[in-house]
Amino acid sequence: MVFHNYRMTRKGGDRVEVIVKYNGDIIQAVERIGAQAELLSHQYAIVSIEESRLPELYGFTEIEDIELSKRLYIKLNYQLTSSCITSVQEKNSFHLLGKGTIAAIIDSGIDYTHVDFRNEDGSTRIIALWDQTIEGNPPDGFLEGTEYTREQLNEALDSPRPFTVVPSRDNLGHGTAVAGIAAGNGQASAGENRGAAPLCELLIVKVGQKGNDTFAQSTEIMRAVKYVTDKARMLGRPVAINLSFGMNNGAHDGQSLFEEYLTAMSSEWKSAMIIPTGNEGAAGHHYEGRITSDNPAEIAFFTASGIETFYLTLWKDFADSFAVELILPNGTSAGVVTLEDRRKQIRLGNLLITILYEQPTRYSVRQEIFINVQAQSGTIAPGAWLLRILPTRIVNGTFTVWLPTLEEVTAKTYFSRPTVNNTITLPATARKVIRVAGYNDRIGSIAPFSGVGRVNDPDGLPDIAAPAVNILAPRTGGGYDAFTGTSFAAPFVTGSALLMMEWAIVNGNAPFFYGERLRAYLRWGANRSVGLRYPNPTFGYGRLCLDNTLQLMQQYAI
């Protein structure tokens, strides 16, 4: 079994993290080789282990499958009226404000001192804040980070120097904005710039690597989802979980362990999981093609200046056999690499190129060919590259290739002839989650950056679209700023889900209204334009309209 270091989550020293699907007593089993297991559910766990001992995990009967952790990147006047949320909040209508519900924001943290996340008496609306980047006192059942309670947050707010009491900060401002759109009460603007569910309470998890707030590992997000779900269950309240992250490193088919775990957790407790479709719609980072026995493929792409690493992840039918060859901008070939090579490393100048032929998994018949280019010193020279696919034995012939996301390699890295469809980023590709596309509510058109679904595949489409351009939201340090991206479309739906669960569960109208049922009503109540066919790969089932949805719930959900 071959392991490739550039895809592993490092936890300091030579320890790495992997996701496992298990049976039996996994904690006791891995302790025999000096590893630690954190249980996420009765099937999934995260194992921290010395890298040199990682192959030993494959000998345990308790372990059914293993997946290396991967990086996910944060996707950098509220449009409540265009989403039909304002009318639902009004006293002469449904008068829903999120009371009795929980907004769980898993993101870059939160500015807990911002008055939009405080009650009228100045106390916090945050039930708990788990900062995974600060070592100290982790929540029960977890091994890392520090959990700050409501009492500790209030102590900090009463202090003239709050960050000396609770040192957790949102350095990016991303999580603060997302939380404000979903749940801000607008106190900094006398209520004018409030979010969708201003009376809900919040659970906050700050994820990310120590010293680097721009990305998080899939294992960190899995821990966070378990944490907020368990907290909501303990408190007996419905919860909407917002995950504004995305990556291209995967098959985009919902069949990785990470995606399967999120699919499973979306059915836990009284919850809804909301994930944006990502900002890859116009990035040029996806390519689809077909190869025949007598027709090799040549795929041209460009890389930006200043990047130190990038990858190509190619997915194909395992029944097909073909070789790959990477041509550098200076015309040098990295050589032809075949299935028989399995894993090959090539050094050319300052570059280390690793090409790996993966195996199908228990969930998928597809095979990944993973190509990683890493500058050993300095950066990768920009320019035009060529990926050649050379047929050996072709049965099906179709394949897909992805470059990293905009957040990793910028807009100046792209395929010369990209495929626009199937650009929804992971983990929105998990099943049973609510996928949110982004549109410009001023002109009614889809945002060009919004991730696009798979054509002729209802399971691969967005569920609904929400405003994503120039969204006014709380900023770190106080006040408000404008934000753009599908990250900021998702919390409109998160807040809407809270109001739906307030009406249904908290108010006792439909006590089992969550999960797929909630998702179905969001689709049903969406606004749809005359002349467009729905569902479609850009808008999904239409534009969010909460008032329509509540009217339908009132008529049919009781």
mmCIF file of all heavy atoms in Angstrom, residues 349-383:
data_model
loop_
_atom_site.group_PDB
_atom_site.id
_atom_site.type_symbol
_atom_site.label_atom_id
_atom_site.label_comp_id
_atom_site.label_asym_id
_atom_site.label_seq_id
_atom_site.Cartn_x
_atom_site.Cartn_y
_atom_site.Cartn_z
ATOM 1 N N GLY A 349 14.181 20.155 -12.732
ATOM 2 C CA GLY A 349 14.528 21.473 -12.218
ATOM 3 C C GLY A 349 14.160 21.588 -10.756
ATOM 4 O O GLY A 349 14.546 20.750 -9.934
ATOM 5 N N ASN A 350 13.387 22.629 -10.421
ATOM 6 C CA ASN A 350 12.974 22.811 -9.021
ATOM 7 C C ASN A 350 11.653 22.126 -8.707
ATOM 8 O O ASN A 350 11.083 22.337 -7.634
ATOM 9 C CB ASN A 350 12.862 24.310 -8.694
ATOM 10 C CG ASN A 350 11.635 24.954 -9.330
ATOM 11 O OD1 ASN A 350 11.249 24.577 -10.438
ATOM 12 N ND2 ASN A 350 11.036 25.926 -8.652
ATOM 13 N N LEU A 351 11.154 21.302 -9.641
ATOM 14 C CA LEU A 351 9.835 20.687 -9.474
ATOM 15 C C LEU A 351 9.935 19.217 -9.086
ATOM 16 O O LEU A 351 10.775 18.477 -9.607
ATOM 17 C CB LEU A 351 9.025 20.801 -10.765
ATOM 18 C CG LEU A 351 8.727 22.200 -11.296
ATOM 19 C CD1 LEU A 351 7.875 22.107 -12.552
ATOM 20 C CD2 LEU A 351 8.048 23.063 -10.238
ATOM 21 N N LEU A 352 9.047 18.816 -8.179
ATOM 22 C CA LEU A 352 8.816 17.409 -7.883
ATOM 23 C C LEU A 352 7.415 17.080 -8.369
ATOM 24 O O LEU A 352 6.429 17.636 -7.883
ATOM 25 C CB LEU A 352 8.938 17.131 -6.383
ATOM 26 C CG LEU A 352 8.590 15.696 -5.955
ATOM 27 C CD1 LEU A 352 9.566 14.694 -6.577
ATOM 28 C CD2 LEU A 352 8.581 15.575 -4.437
ATOM 29 N N ILE A 353 7.317 16.185 -9.347
ATOM 30 C CA ILE A 353 6.033 15.789 -9.928
ATOM 31 C C ILE A 353 5.734 14.365 -9.482
ATOM 32 O O ILE A 353 6.536 13.456 -9.696
ATOM 33 C CB ILE A 353 6.071 15.877 -11.465
ATOM 34 C CG1 ILE A 353 6.394 17.311 -11.901
ATOM 35 C CG2 ILE A 353 4.742 15.418 -12.061
ATOM 36 C CD1 ILE A 353 6.678 17.442 -13.383
ATOM 37 N N THR A 354 4.585 14.183 -8.846
ATOM 38 C CA THR A 354 4.169 12.864 -8.375
ATOM 39 C C THR A 354 2.897 12.465 -9.107
ATOM 40 O O THR A 354 1.928 13.229 -9.138
ATOM 41 C CB THR A 354 3.916 12.870 -6.858
ATOM 42 O OG1 THR A 354 5.079 13.360 -6.188
ATOM 43 C CG2 THR A 354 3.599 11.471 -6.359
ATOM 44 N N ILE A 355 2.908 11.279 -9.703
ATOM 45 C CA ILE A 355 1.741 10.765 -10.424
ATOM 46 C C ILE A 355 1.352 9.439 -9.788
ATOM 47 O O ILE A 355 2.177 8.535 -9.664
ATOM 48 C CB ILE A 355 2.037 10.596 -11.922
ATOM 49 C CG1 ILE A 355 2.429 11.955 -12.529
ATOM 50 C CG2 ILE A 355 0.821 10.012 -12.651
ATOM 51 C CD1 ILE A 355 2.812 11.892 -13.992
ATOM 52 N N LEU A 356 0.101 9.345 -9.378
ATOM 53 C CA LEU A 356 -0.368 8.185 -8.628
ATOM 54 C C LEU A 356 -1.634 7.622 -9.252
ATOM 55 O O LEU A 356 -2.591 8.353 -9.500
ATOM 56 C CB LEU A 356 -0.650 8.591 -7.178
ATOM 57 C CG LEU A 356 -1.214 7.498 -6.282
ATOM 58 C CD1 LEU A 356 -0.123 6.519 -5.891
ATOM 59 C CD2 LEU A 356 -1.849 8.098 -5.045
ATOM 60 N N TYR A 357 -1.641 6.327 -9.517
ATOM 61 C CA TYR A 357 -2.839 5.612 -9.956
ATOM 62 C C TYR A 357 -3.498 5.007 -8.720
ATOM 63 O O TYR A 357 -2.949 4.098 -8.094
ATOM 64 C CB TYR A 357 -2.478 4.501 -10.944
ATOM 65 C CG TYR A 357 -2.200 4.975 -12.352
ATOM 66 C CD1 TYR A 357 -0.997 5.599 -12.673
ATOM 67 C CD2 TYR A 357 -3.137 4.788 -13.368
ATOM 68 C CE1 TYR A 357 -0.734 6.030 -13.965
ATOM 69 C CE2 TYR A 357 -2.884 5.213 -14.666
ATOM 70 C CZ TYR A 357 -1.686 5.834 -14.960
ATOM 71 O OH TYR A 357 -1.429 6.260 -16.247
ATOM 72 N N GLU A 358 -4.672 5.531 -8.360
ATOM 73 C CA GLU A 358 -5.401 5.024 -7.200
ATOM 74 C C GLU A 358 -6.198 3.776 -7.579
ATOM 75 O O GLU A 358 -6.301 3.409 -8.754
ATOM 76 C CB GLU A 358 -6.350 6.104 -6.661
ATOM 77 C CG GLU A 358 -5.639 7.311 -6.068
ATOM 78 C CD GLU A 358 -5.237 7.094 -4.628
ATOM 79 O OE1 GLU A 358 -5.131 5.920 -4.213
ATOM 80 O OE2 GLU A 358 -5.036 8.090 -3.917
ATOM 81 N N GLN A 359 -6.823 3.161 -6.560
ATOM 82 C CA GLN A 359 -7.674 1.990 -6.750
ATOM 83 C C GLN A 359 -9.147 2.386 -6.601
ATOM 84 O O GLN A 359 -9.459 3.370 -5.925
ATOM 85 C CB GLN A 359 -7.334 0.928 -5.705
ATOM 86 C CG GLN A 359 -5.973 0.287 -5.898
ATOM 87 C CD GLN A 359 -5.947 -0.626 -7.102
ATOM 88 O OE1 GLN A 359 -6.823 -1.470 -7.271
ATOM 89 N NE2 GLN A 359 -4.933 -0.460 -7.943
ATOM 90 N N PRO A 360 -10.072 1.645 -7.222
ATOM 91 C CA PRO A 360 -11.492 1.872 -6.917
ATOM 92 C C PRO A 360 -11.743 1.617 -5.433
ATOM 93 O O PRO A 360 -10.974 0.908 -4.773
ATOM 94 C CB PRO A 360 -12.219 0.835 -7.784
ATOM 95 C CG PRO A 360 -11.231 0.409 -8.805
ATOM 96 C CD PRO A 360 -9.882 0.555 -8.186
ATOM 97 N N THR A 361 -12.795 2.198 -4.903
ATOM 98 C CA THR A 361 -13.143 1.983 -3.503
ATOM 99 C C THR A 361 -14.385 1.112 -3.418
ATOM 100 O O THR A 361 -14.989 0.749 -4.437
ATOM 101 C CB THR A 361 -13.422 3.322 -2.800
ATOM 102 O OG1 THR A 361 -14.653 3.870 -3.323
ATOM 103 C CG2 THR A 361 -12.291 4.309 -3.031
ATOM 104 N N ARG A 362 -14.783 0.799 -2.222
ATOM 105 C CA ARG A 362 -15.994 -0.008 -2.033
ATOM 106 C C ARG A 362 -17.238 0.750 -2.465
ATOM 107 O O ARG A 362 -18.306 0.167 -2.640
ATOM 108 C CB ARG A 362 -16.129 -0.429 -0.571
ATOM 109 C CG ARG A 362 -16.217 0.737 0.385
ATOM 110 C CD ARG A 362 -16.273 0.285 1.817
ATOM 111 N NE ARG A 362 -17.507 -0.429 2.098
ATOM 112 C CZ ARG A 362 -17.801 -0.938 3.277
ATOM 113 N NH1 ARG A 362 -16.940 -0.839 4.261
ATOM 114 N NH2 ARG A 362 -18.942 -1.559 3.474
ATOM 115 N N TYR A 363 -17.113 2.084 -2.651
ATOM 116 C CA TYR A 363 -18.267 2.903 -3.008
ATOM 117 C C TYR A 363 -18.307 3.273 -4.490
ATOM 118 O O TYR A 363 -19.309 3.785 -4.969
ATOM 119 C CB TYR A 363 -18.257 4.204 -2.193
ATOM 120 C CG TYR A 363 -18.243 3.984 -0.705
ATOM 121 C CD1 TYR A 363 -17.092 4.213 0.038
ATOM 122 C CD2 TYR A 363 -19.376 3.533 -0.040
ATOM 123 C CE1 TYR A 363 -17.073 4.006 1.407
ATOM 124 C CE2 TYR A 363 -19.364 3.320 1.327
ATOM 125 C CZ TYR A 363 -18.211 3.559 2.047
ATOM 126 O OH TYR A 363 -18.198 3.349 3.397
ATOM 127 N N SER A 364 -17.204 3.079 -5.216
ATOM 128 C CA SER A 364 -17.150 3.595 -6.581
ATOM 129 C C SER A 364 -16.300 2.693 -7.468
ATOM 130 O O SER A 364 -15.253 2.187 -7.043
ATOM 131 C CB SER A 364 -16.560 5.013 -6.581
ATOM 132 O OG SER A 364 -16.393 5.493 -7.895
ATOM 133 N N VAL A 365 -16.744 2.534 -8.736
ATOM 134 C CA VAL A 365 -15.978 1.758 -9.710
ATOM 135 C C VAL A 365 -14.998 2.643 -10.469
ATOM 136 O O VAL A 365 -14.274 2.167 -11.340
ATOM 137 C CB VAL A 365 -16.915 1.054 -10.718
ATOM 138 C CG1 VAL A 365 -17.811 0.065 -10.014
ATOM 139 C CG2 VAL A 365 -17.751 2.079 -11.498
ATOM 140 N N ARG A 366 -14.955 3.919 -10.136
ATOM 141 C CA ARG A 366 -14.083 4.840 -10.850
ATOM 142 C C ARG A 366 -12.677 4.839 -10.248
ATOM 143 O O ARG A 366 -12.480 4.534 -9.075
ATOM 144 C CB ARG A 366 -14.667 6.249 -10.834
ATOM 145 C CG ARG A 366 -16.049 6.331 -11.460
ATOM 146 C CD ARG A 366 -16.612 7.723 -11.375
ATOM 147 N NE ARG A 366 -15.971 8.611 -12.332
ATOM 148 C CZ ARG A 366 -16.080 9.935 -12.294
ATOM 149 N NH1 ARG A 366 -16.773 10.517 -11.331
ATOM 150 N NH2 ARG A 366 -15.491 10.679 -13.198
ATOM 151 N N GLN A 367 -11.715 5.195 -11.084
ATOM 152 C CA GLN A 367 -10.317 5.252 -10.663
ATOM 153 C C GLN A 367 -9.816 6.684 -10.775
ATOM 154 O O GLN A 367 -10.121 7.390 -11.733
ATOM 155 C CB GLN A 367 -9.455 4.345 -11.543
ATOM 156 C CG GLN A 367 -7.974 4.366 -11.174
ATOM 157 C CD GLN A 367 -7.127 3.524 -12.102
ATOM 158 O OE1 GLN A 367 -7.434 3.392 -13.287
ATOM 159 N NE2 GLN A 367 -6.065 2.937 -11.579
ATOM 160 N N GLU A 368 -9.027 7.098 -9.797
ATOM 161 C CA GLU A 368 -8.412 8.415 -9.832
ATOM 162 C C GLU A 368 -6.951 8.299 -10.253
ATOM 163 O O GLU A 368 -6.218 7.430 -9.781
ATOM 164 C CB GLU A 368 -8.479 9.084 -8.459
ATOM 165 C CG GLU A 368 -7.833 10.461 -8.434
ATOM 166 C CD GLU A 368 -7.744 11.060 -7.039
ATOM 167 O OE1 GLU A 368 -7.857 10.304 -6.054
ATOM 168 O OE2 GLU A 368 -7.550 12.284 -6.939
ATOM 169 N N ILE A 369 -6.537 9.190 -11.146
ATOM 170 C CA ILE A 369 -5.116 9.409 -11.412
ATOM 171 C C ILE A 369 -4.803 10.792 -10.856
ATOM 172 O O ILE A 369 -5.340 11.794 -11.327
ATOM 173 C CB ILE A 369 -4.786 9.337 -12.914
ATOM 174 C CG1 ILE A 369 -5.198 7.981 -13.483
ATOM 175 C CG2 ILE A 369 -3.295 9.574 -13.139
ATOM 176 C CD1 ILE A 369 -5.014 7.869 -14.989
ATOM 177 N N PHE A 370 -3.977 10.823 -9.835
ATOM 178 C CA PHE A 370 -3.691 12.074 -9.129
ATOM 179 C C PHE A 370 -2.300 12.554 -9.509
ATOM 180 O O PHE A 370 -1.315 11.815 -9.392
ATOM 181 C CB PHE A 370 -3.784 11.861 -7.620
ATOM 182 C CG PHE A 370 -3.697 13.132 -6.820
ATOM 183 C CD1 PHE A 370 -4.810 13.928 -6.634
ATOM 184 C CD2 PHE A 370 -2.492 13.527 -6.251
ATOM 185 C CE1 PHE A 370 -4.732 15.101 -5.894
ATOM 186 C CE2 PHE A 370 -2.406 14.694 -5.511
ATOM 187 C CZ PHE A 370 -3.531 15.485 -5.334
ATOM 188 N N ILE A 371 -2.218 13.798 -9.981
ATOM 189 C CA ILE A 371 -0.947 14.389 -10.402
ATOM 190 C C ILE A 371 -0.688 15.609 -9.530
ATOM 191 O O ILE A 371 -1.493 16.544 -9.501
ATOM 192 C CB ILE A 371 -0.990 14.803 -11.887
ATOM 193 C CG1 ILE A 371 -1.330 13.592 -12.763
ATOM 194 C CG2 ILE A 371 0.329 15.428 -12.310
ATOM 195 C CD1 ILE A 371 -1.620 13.949 -14.209
ATOM 196 N N ASN A 372 0.421 15.601 -8.811
ATOM 197 C CA ASN A 372 0.771 16.719 -7.944
ATOM 198 C C ASN A 372 2.093 17.331 -8.403
ATOM 199 O O ASN A 372 3.069 16.617 -8.638
ATOM 200 C CB ASN A 372 0.904 16.255 -6.491
ATOM 201 C CG ASN A 372 0.998 17.424 -5.527
ATOM 202 O OD1 ASN A 372 -0.004 18.065 -5.238
ATOM 203 N ND2 ASN A 372 2.194 17.702 -5.025
ATOM 204 N N VAL A 373 2.099 18.652 -8.541
ATOM 205 C CA VAL A 373 3.304 19.382 -8.934
ATOM 206 C C VAL A 373 3.684 20.299 -7.782
ATOM 207 O O VAL A 373 2.880 21.135 -7.351
ATOM 208 C CB VAL A 373 3.075 20.191 -10.227
ATOM 209 C CG1 VAL A 373 4.349 20.944 -10.612
ATOM 210 C CG2 VAL A 373 2.630 19.271 -11.360
ATOM 211 N N GLN A 374 4.902 20.152 -7.284
ATOM 212 C CA GLN A 374 5.347 20.886 -6.102
ATOM 213 C C GLN A 374 6.702 21.529 -6.383
ATOM 214 O O GLN A 374 7.632 20.856 -6.844
ATOM 215 C CB GLN A 374 5.479 19.934 -4.906
ATOM 216 C CG GLN A 374 6.062 20.556 -3.652
ATOM 217 C CD GLN A 374 5.060 21.405 -2.916
ATOM 218 O OE1 GLN A 374 3.941 20.964 -2.668
ATOM 219 N NE2 GLN A 374 5.442 22.618 -2.555
ATOM 220 N N ALA A 375 6.809 22.840 -6.132
ATOM 221 C CA ALA A 375 8.105 23.513 -6.235
ATOM 222 C C ALA A 375 8.930 23.168 -5.003
ATOM 223 O O ALA A 375 8.486 23.380 -3.876
ATOM 224 C CB ALA A 375 7.911 25.018 -6.355
ATOM 225 N N GLN A 376 10.119 22.621 -5.213
ATOM 226 C CA GLN A 376 10.990 22.287 -4.088
ATOM 227 C C GLN A 376 11.656 23.522 -3.511
ATOM 228 O O GLN A 376 12.097 23.531 -2.362
ATOM 229 C CB GLN A 376 12.049 21.277 -4.542
ATOM 230 C CG GLN A 376 11.465 19.949 -5.006
ATOM 231 C CD GLN A 376 10.754 19.207 -3.890
ATOM 232 O OE1 GLN A 376 11.386 18.593 -3.034
ATOM 233 N NE2 GLN A 376 9.432 19.274 -3.883
ATOM 234 N N SER A 377 11.737 24.570 -4.322
ATOM 235 C CA SER A 377 12.220 25.872 -3.865
ATOM 236 C C SER A 377 11.566 26.935 -4.729
ATOM 237 O O SER A 377 11.275 26.704 -5.906
ATOM 238 C CB SER A 377 13.746 25.957 -3.984
ATOM 239 O OG SER A 377 14.149 25.815 -5.336
ATOM 240 N N GLY A 378 11.306 28.089 -4.156
ATOM 241 C CA GLY A 378 10.673 29.153 -4.920
ATOM 242 C C GLY A 378 9.254 28.800 -5.329
ATOM 243 O O GLY A 378 8.509 28.169 -4.575
ATOM 244 N N THR A 379 8.869 29.176 -6.544
ATOM 245 C CA THR A 379 7.520 28.927 -7.037
ATOM 246 C C THR A 379 7.573 28.231 -8.395
ATOM 247 O O THR A 379 8.635 28.101 -9.005
ATOM 248 C CB THR A 379 6.733 30.245 -7.174
ATOM 249 O OG1 THR A 379 7.430 31.120 -8.077
ATOM 250 C CG2 THR A 379 6.579 30.932 -5.826
ATOM 251 N N ILE A 380 6.418 27.806 -8.858
ATOM 252 C CA ILE A 380 6.306 27.140 -10.155
ATOM 253 C C ILE A 380 6.278 28.202 -11.253
ATOM 254 O O ILE A 380 5.515 29.176 -11.164
ATOM 255 C CB ILE A 380 5.033 26.283 -10.213
ATOM 256 C CG1 ILE A 380 5.089 25.183 -9.142
ATOM 257 C CG2 ILE A 380 4.838 25.672 -11.594
ATOM 258 C CD1 ILE A 380 3.780 24.451 -8.955
ATOM 259 N N ALA A 381 7.095 28.029 -12.281
ATOM 260 C CA ALA A 381 7.107 28.986 -13.385
ATOM 261 C C ALA A 381 5.746 28.990 -14.073
ATOM 262 O O ALA A 381 5.200 27.927 -14.386
ATOM 263 C CB ALA A 381 8.205 28.624 -14.385
ATOM 264 N N PRO A 382 5.158 30.165 -14.317
ATOM 265 C CA PRO A 382 3.851 30.219 -14.975
ATOM 266 C C PRO A 382 3.966 29.873 -16.452
ATOM 267 O O PRO A 382 5.049 29.911 -17.037
ATOM 268 C CB PRO A 382 3.438 31.684 -14.791
ATOM 269 C CG PRO A 382 4.742 32.426 -14.733
ATOM 270 C CD PRO A 382 5.694 31.509 -14.019
ATOM 271 N N GLY A 383 2.814 29.531 -17.044
ATOM 272 C CA GLY A 383 2.830 29.267 -18.476
ATOM 273 C C GLY A 383 1.828 28.218 -18.890
ATOM 274 O O GLY A 383 0.941 27.832 -18.120
#
